[in-house]
Amino acid sequence: MSLTRYLKKSKLFYGFINMAFNHYDKDRVQKVGANAAAAEWLLKNGGSVKGLGSGSWISDYNGITACYKPSFKIAHIEAVDADITSGGCEHFKGLNHLRSVVLKGCVNVGDSGLQMICKHCFQTLEVMDVSGTSVTCSGLNYVSMLPKLKVLTYSERLKSSNEKLHKDAIEKIQESNKNLELNSV
């Protein structure tokens, strides 16, 4: 088999696996709870979680048992270059204690994923990093839904993609939150 043909088949297979690993399973959420189901999803896809009041990160599936305790609540998510997708962001539903989310380099997270995160975590989210994702200037508008957000980090490339859209999105975000620290990288 030629290398090109192999790569095309591998990409298709990888896409299927990625879609399966990001599937939101309502039955699983009912069985183990939103926080444990989200932790499973993140760990499966290369992310890490930190519980409310916890001093340590869980980044290995071997440590997931802590997530099954009823008292476990996800407070911080770090998914750098992880294989999570916008569709998988439905896992943010029910994360009522989430304070920070870092999605740096998660290229499969776009505007619809950011919309879900903002919709489900608008009451608690304080820090967000969407640099290196597929979030556009239009998608940044969803951030204005986050009244407690203190720090937003986003990709510098958004500035060059459409100056007017970028300016409008940033103005809308700043109007909704006067004390927000904006970082473009």
Side-chain angles (χ1 to χ4, degrees), residues 49-58 72 75-76:
V49 297
K50 189 175 186 183
L52 191 63
S54 174
S56 59
W57 286 89
I58 301 169
F72 180 79
H76 307 282

Side-chain angles (χ1 to χ4, degrees), residues 34-45:
N35 286 277
E40 289 174 348
W41 165 65
L42 286 156
L43 294 174
K44 251 191 310 195
N45 288 293

Side-chain angles (χ1 to χ4, degrees), residues 61-80:
Y61 221 80
N62 291 328
I64 200 160
T65 54
C67 302
Y68 296 121
K69 295 176 183 170
S71 61
F72 180 79
K73 306 294 181 207
I74 295 176
H76 307 282
I77 291 174
E78 188 168 287
V80 177

